[in-house]
Short mmCIF file of all heavy atoms in Angstrom, two decimals:
data_model
loop_
_atom_site.label_atom_id
_atom_site.label_comp_id
_atom_site.label_asym_id
_atom_site.label_seq_id
_atom_site.Cartn_x
_atom_site.Cartn_y
_atom_site.Cartn_z
N ARG A 118 122.66 92.76 101.20
CA ARG A 118 123.33 91.51 100.79
C ARG A 118 124.11 90.89 101.95
O ARG A 118 124.34 89.69 101.99
CB ARG A 118 124.27 91.79 99.61
CG ARG A 118 123.50 92.17 98.34
CD ARG A 118 124.43 92.41 97.17
NE ARG A 118 123.67 92.65 95.94
CZ ARG A 118 123.19 93.83 95.60
NH1 ARG A 118 123.38 94.88 96.39
NH2 ARG A 118 122.51 93.97 94.47
N ASN A 119 124.51 91.75 102.89
CA ASN A 119 125.16 91.26 104.11
C ASN A 119 124.28 91.67 105.29
O ASN A 119 124.21 92.86 105.65
CB ASN A 119 126.56 91.86 104.26
CG ASN A 119 127.27 91.35 105.50
OD1 ASN A 119 126.73 90.56 106.28
ND2 ASN A 119 128.49 91.81 105.71
N ALA A 120 123.60 90.69 105.90
CA ALA A 120 122.65 90.99 106.98
C ALA A 120 123.35 91.39 108.27
O ALA A 120 122.68 91.79 109.23
CB ALA A 120 121.76 89.77 107.24
N ASP A 121 124.68 91.31 108.32
CA ASP A 121 125.41 91.66 109.53
C ASP A 121 125.95 93.09 109.53
O ASP A 121 126.62 93.50 110.48
CB ASP A 121 126.58 90.70 109.75
CG ASP A 121 126.13 89.35 110.30
OD1 ASP A 121 125.05 89.31 110.92
OD2 ASP A 121 126.85 88.36 110.10
N THR A 122 125.69 93.84 108.48
CA THR A 122 126.12 95.23 108.48
C THR A 122 125.33 96.01 109.54
O THR A 122 124.18 95.67 109.84
CB THR A 122 125.90 95.88 107.10
OG1 THR A 122 124.51 95.86 106.80
CG2 THR A 122 126.69 95.16 106.03
N PRO A 123 125.93 97.05 110.11
CA PRO A 123 125.24 97.80 111.17
C PRO A 123 123.86 98.32 110.76
O PRO A 123 122.91 98.25 111.55
CB PRO A 123 126.21 98.95 111.47
CG PRO A 123 127.55 98.40 111.13
CD PRO A 123 127.32 97.52 109.94
N VAL A 124 123.74 98.83 109.54
CA VAL A 124 122.44 99.39 109.13
C VAL A 124 121.40 98.28 108.96
O VAL A 124 120.22 98.47 109.28
CB VAL A 124 122.59 100.22 107.84
CG1 VAL A 124 122.92 99.34 106.64
CG2 VAL A 124 121.34 101.03 107.57
N ALA A 125 121.82 97.11 108.48
CA ALA A 125 120.88 95.99 108.34
C ALA A 125 120.43 95.50 109.71
O ALA A 125 119.24 95.22 109.92
CB ALA A 125 121.53 94.84 107.57
N VAL A 126 121.36 95.40 110.64
CA VAL A 126 121.00 94.99 112.00
C VAL A 126 120.07 96.01 112.63
O VAL A 126 119.07 95.64 113.28
CB VAL A 126 122.28 94.81 112.86
CG1 VAL A 126 121.90 94.57 114.32
CG2 VAL A 126 123.11 93.66 112.33
N LEU A 127 120.36 97.30 112.44
CA LEU A 127 119.49 98.35 113.00
C LEU A 127 118.08 98.26 112.42
O LEU A 127 117.10 98.34 113.16
CB LEU A 127 120.09 99.72 112.71
CG LEU A 127 119.23 100.93 113.13
CD1 LEU A 127 118.94 100.90 114.63
CD2 LEU A 127 119.91 102.23 112.72
N ALA A 128 117.98 98.07 111.12
CA ALA A 128 116.67 97.95 110.49
C ALA A 128 115.91 96.75 111.05
O ALA A 128 114.72 96.83 111.35
CB ALA A 128 116.82 97.82 108.97
N GLY A 129 116.61 95.63 111.20
CA GLY A 129 115.98 94.45 111.77
C GLY A 129 115.51 94.67 113.19
O GLY A 129 114.41 94.24 113.58
N MET A 130 116.31 95.37 113.99
CA MET A 130 115.93 95.61 115.38
C MET A 130 114.75 96.58 115.49
O MET A 130 113.95 96.51 116.43
CB MET A 130 117.12 96.15 116.17
CG MET A 130 118.25 95.13 116.35
SD MET A 130 117.72 93.50 116.99
CE MET A 130 117.75 92.50 115.47
N LEU A 131 114.61 97.50 114.52
CA LEU A 131 113.43 98.36 114.49
C LEU A 131 112.16 97.52 114.26
O LEU A 131 111.12 97.76 114.86
CB LEU A 131 113.57 99.42 113.40
CG LEU A 131 114.56 100.55 113.69
CD1 LEU A 131 114.78 101.38 112.43
CD2 LEU A 131 114.03 101.43 114.82
N ALA A 132 112.27 96.52 113.38
CA ALA A 132 111.14 95.62 113.15
C ALA A 132 110.82 94.81 114.41
O ALA A 132 109.66 94.58 114.75
CB ALA A 132 111.43 94.70 111.97
N VAL A 133 111.87 94.36 115.11
CA VAL A 133 111.68 93.62 116.35
C VAL A 133 110.99 94.50 117.39
O VAL A 133 110.05 94.07 118.08
CB VAL A 133 113.03 93.11 116.90
CG1 VAL A 133 112.86 92.52 118.30
CG2 VAL A 133 113.61 92.05 115.96
N ALA A 134 111.44 95.76 117.51
CA ALA A 134 110.81 96.68 118.45
C ALA A 134 109.35 96.94 118.09
O ALA A 134 108.49 97.08 118.98
CB ALA A 134 111.59 98.00 118.48
N ALA A 135 109.05 96.99 116.79
CA ALA A 135 107.67 97.16 116.36
C ALA A 135 106.81 95.98 116.79
O ALA A 135 105.67 96.15 117.24
CB ALA A 135 107.61 97.34 114.84
N MET A 136 107.35 94.77 116.66
CA MET A 136 106.59 93.60 117.07
C MET A 136 106.46 93.50 118.59
O MET A 136 105.45 93.02 119.11
CB MET A 136 107.24 92.34 116.51
CG MET A 136 107.12 92.19 115.00
SD MET A 136 105.39 92.12 114.42
CE MET A 136 105.14 93.82 113.88
N ALA A 137 107.48 93.99 119.32
CA ALA A 137 107.37 94.07 120.77
C ALA A 137 106.23 95.03 121.14
O ALA A 137 105.46 94.77 122.07
CB ALA A 137 108.69 94.53 121.38
N THR A 138 106.14 96.14 120.42
CA THR A 138 105.06 97.10 120.64
C THR A 138 103.72 96.46 120.37
O THR A 138 102.75 96.66 121.13
CB THR A 138 105.25 98.32 119.73
OG1 THR A 138 106.54 98.90 119.96
CG2 THR A 138 104.18 99.37 120.00
#
Side-chain angles (χ1 to χ4, degrees):
R118 293 182 175 84
N119 181 359
D121 283 336
T122 61
V124 68
V126 173
L127 175 59
M130 293 309 103
L131 287 170
V133 171
M136 291 299 99
T138 304

